[in-house]
Amino acid sequence: MSKRLRSSEMCADCSGPDPSWASVNRGTFICDECCSVHRSLGRHISQVRHLKHTPWPPTLLQMVETLYNNGANSIWEHSLLDPASIMSGRRKANPQDKVHPNKAEFIRAKYQMLAFVHRLPCRDDDSVTAKDLSKQLHSSVRTGNLETCLRLLSLGAQANFFHPEKGNTPLHVASKAGQILQAELLAVYGADPGTQDSSGKTPVDYARQGGHHELADRLVEIQYELTDRLAFYLCGRKPDHKNGQHFIIPQMADSSLDLSELAKAAKKKLQSLSNHLFEELAMDVYDEVDRRETDAVWLATQNHSTLVTETTVVPFLPVNPEYSSTRNQGRQKLARFNAHEFATLVIDILSDAKRRQQGSPLSGSKDNVELILKTINNQHSIESQDNDQPDYDSVASDEDTDLEATASKANRQKSLDSDLSDGPVTVQEFMEVKNALVASEAKIQQLMKASRLEKQNSTPESDYDNTPNDTDADDMGSSRKGRQRSMVWQGDGSIPDMAEPSMAPSPSLPSTEDVIRKTEQITKNIQELLRAAQENKHDSYSPCSERIHLAVTEMAALFPKKPKSDTVKTSLHLLTSSAYRLQLECKKALPGDCSPPSDIQLVTQQVIQCAYDIAKAAKQLVTITTKENNN
C-alpha cells in the first residue's frame, strides 16, 4: 500500500498541491481535476491509480515514486523548460485554470500529442532509430536509472526488443541484474515476462538464477496480471502463485439461471477465437474492469456537494485509434452490460484462459474477432432505440452498473453530459476521414441510383437498406480517436438555430433524392476542407466552412421546422450545431489568431472533428428519409 505523500509534492500538470492520483506509465502524480482528463484519454495514453484507495503492488508504487522524484515530468515537458517557450507564449496549466478547455487542452497536448517531448533529429529510416533506441534501452536497464529508460521509451524504444547479438530482451537483462523497478517499468510498457531468450529461458528463470526471488515472484504475478485482476474484481481474491495456483474461477451465486441464447452463442464464439484474438478480447474486458473499478474509487473519493460534470465518471471506454472501428465499438458496448451480464462474460474469459493454458483443444479456431465483438454490439439491440447507428457516443452507460454503492443514478447521468469520453481526432488521421467520406459519397451515388430504379420499377428495397450498419464501409467511426462530446460549447450556453427556411415547412419528410443531393454537396465541401488540412492551408479553413454552412442550411431547410421524429430532431441538431461550431473553429485558424504551431494543430483537430460530425449527421438523415419514404 502506498506510503503517505509529502506535502511538498505537486500535480505534474497544473502544479496544484497534494496530488492524490498517479499516472503509472508517465511516472507522475496528478490532482483530481487533471486526473479526470487523464481518464478520458484512455489507458493507452495514461494509466491512472489512486495513491491511497487503490491496491498497489509495492514495487510498482516505488517505481512511480522514483520516477516522479527524479524528474520524469521533464520528459513530457521538455520544450516548456526552454526559456524560449515563455517568449512564445506557451505555458503549462495552473491550479486556477478551468478544467475545460485550459487544463484539458494542455494535458492532451502533453500526453496525447507529445507536443513538448524532446524530438530526435529527423532521419530517413525511422526503424533504424527505433532499433538504436531499443539497444540503448537494452543496455540501460541493468542500472537503476529509471528516468533514462523512460526517456528512451518515450522516444520509441521497444520494451519487447529482442537483441539480435545478445539473444534476449531488456526484461531478461533487468531480471539478471535484479533491477525490480526497471522490470516494473518495462512491464508497464508491454514487456512480456514469458518471452524466451535464444536459449529458451524466460526473465523469471534469469531472476531465480540470480537469486532475485522477490523479482521472480513479481514477474510471475505480472505474467498473470490480466486474469488475476478479473478474478479479484469478482471475488476479491487472487491466486496463490507461489504454491502453483494460477487461476481462480469465481462461481455465480445465481448460476442456475438459464443463459440467454445470445450469451450461449457469445461463449461458443469466444472459445472459437485464436489465442491472439482471445487475448485482445480479454484485454478489452480488463480495460472495462479498470474503468468500472476506477469509477468506483473516483466517486467514493469525491466531494459530492461540489461535484460538477467536468469531473464525473467516464461513461465508457475511450477510443483507442490503434484498434479497428468494430473493436472500439465492442469495447464501448461493454459499458452497457449490467453486473450479472458482465460477471458472466468475465467468468467465461477466466475459464477459457485456464483451458487454453492447459492446452485443452476445442473445434478449429477462427481468426475473426469480429464474431465476438458483433455479438457484444448486438447484445442490447432490443433495448437500444438507435442501435442501427453504431456511433461511439451511443453507448454511454445509461444503464445501472455495479457502482450503486458509491454513486447515485443522478451522478451517473451527469457523466453522460461530460465531454470526457475521449480525446480529439489527430490531424494525422484526416486521410482516413477523407477516405471514409469518399466511400460515403460512393454509397450516396449507389443509393441515388437505387432510388431512381425504385421509382421506375416500384421495387421496395435498396442495397443501402439491407446493409448492416455495424459493417458499413462508410461508417466514419473507424477514422476518429474521439466521439461527439469532445467539444464543450463555449458560447452563451445555447447553440443558435440555423436560418429560417424560406419555404413553408412540410408536414412530412423530404424526398430521398433531395436529401442525397444536398448530402453530396456537403460531402464535397468537407473533402475540400480536408485537402486544405492536408496541405496546411489554414487560411482556406474559413471559406470552406462558409460553404459547408451554406450547404447545411439548405439541407436543413428541406425538413419540417418541428419534425415529429426524435431521431430526425437529433440528427438535424447535430448537423446544424456542428456546422456552426465548425465556423467558430475555422476562424481561429485565421492569420494572427493562432500563431503557435501546437495551437493550430489543436484547432485542426477540432475542425476535423466538426467535419466528421456533419458528415455523420448527413448520413443519418439520408438513412432516415430512405427508410421512411420506402415504408
Side-chain angles (χ1 to χ4, degrees), residues 166-182:
K166 308 289 185 181
N168 57 17
T169 69
L171 191 54
H172 286 96
V173 175
S175 300
K176 184 177 182 180
Q179 294 289 349
I180 192 167
L181 301 188
Q182 294 283 21

Side-chain angles (χ1 to χ4, degrees), residues 343-356:
T344 302
L345 177 60
V346 169
I347 290 171
D348 285 348
I349 287 175
L350 285 170
S351 301
D352 213 48
K354 183 178 181 180
R355 176 190 67 79
R356 288 167 188 262

Side-chain angles (χ1 to χ4, degrees), residues 450-470:
S451 181
R452 287 175 185 145
L453 285 172
E454 182 185 334
K455 280 193 172 183
Q456 294 170 7
N457 304 327
S458 299
T459 304
E461 299 91 13
S462 72
D463 291 340
Y464 192 91
D465 287 328
N466 297 329
T467 305
N469 257 315
D470 58 346

Side-chain angles (χ1 to χ4, degrees), residues 372-533:
I372 184 66
L373 291 174
K374 284 178 185 174
T375 303
I376 293 172
N377 280 340
N378 294 331
Q379 187 81 14
H380 295 270
S381 58
I382 297 174
E383 304 142 27
S384 177
Q385 294 180 348
D386 58 349
N387 194 67
D388 61 341
Q389 300 290 338
D391 303 316
Y392 293 152
D393 59 342
S394 68
V395 296
S397 51
D398 52 359
E399 295 180 18
D400 290 347
T401 63
D402 53 346
L403 298 178
E404 282 83 354
T406 55
S408 66
K409 189 170 183 179
N411 279 328
R412 281 196 302 280
Q413 187 60 39
K414 282 183 180 180
S415 73
L416 303 184
D417 300 324
S418 167
D419 70 282
L420 299 181
S421 49
D422 66 356
V425 181
T426 61
V427 67
Q428 287 81 4
E429 290 175 301
F430 81 93
M431 278 303 293
E432 294 181 27
V433 183
K434 182 178 175 183
N435 291 338
L437 283 169
V438 171
S440 182
E441 188 175 23
K443 181 71 76 174
I444 291 166
Q445 295 289 353
Q446 176 189 0
L447 177 53
M448 182 174 275
K449 289 177 184 176
S451 181
R452 287 175 185 145
L453 285 172
E454 182 185 334
K455 280 193 172 183
Q456 294 170 7
N457 304 327
S458 299
T459 304
E461 299 91 13
S462 72
D463 291 340
Y464 192 91
D465 287 328
N466 297 329
T467 305
N469 257 315
D470 58 346
T471 55
D472 268 356
D474 60 329
D475 183 358
M476 304 283 208
S478 63
S479 57
R480 62 171 179 165
K481 197 177 286 184
R483 39 75 253 71
Q484 292 171 40
R485 285 186 295 274
S486 70
M487 293 172 289
V488 177
W489 182 243
Q490 300 294 333
D492 58 3
S494 61
I495 298 174
D497 291 328
M498 302 299 286
E500 293 286 331
S502 56
M503 61 191 78
S506 166
S508 59
L509 293 179
S511 72
T512 304
E513 283 193 357
D514 287 343
V515 176
I516 291 172
R517 193 173 298 110
K518 295 301 180 185
T519 301
E520 284 183 303
Q521 191 177 347
I522 292 171
T523 302
K524 288 176 182 176
N525 287 326
I526 289 176
Q527 288 174 330
E528 184 181 351
L529 175 64
L530 294 176
R531 280 193 294 270

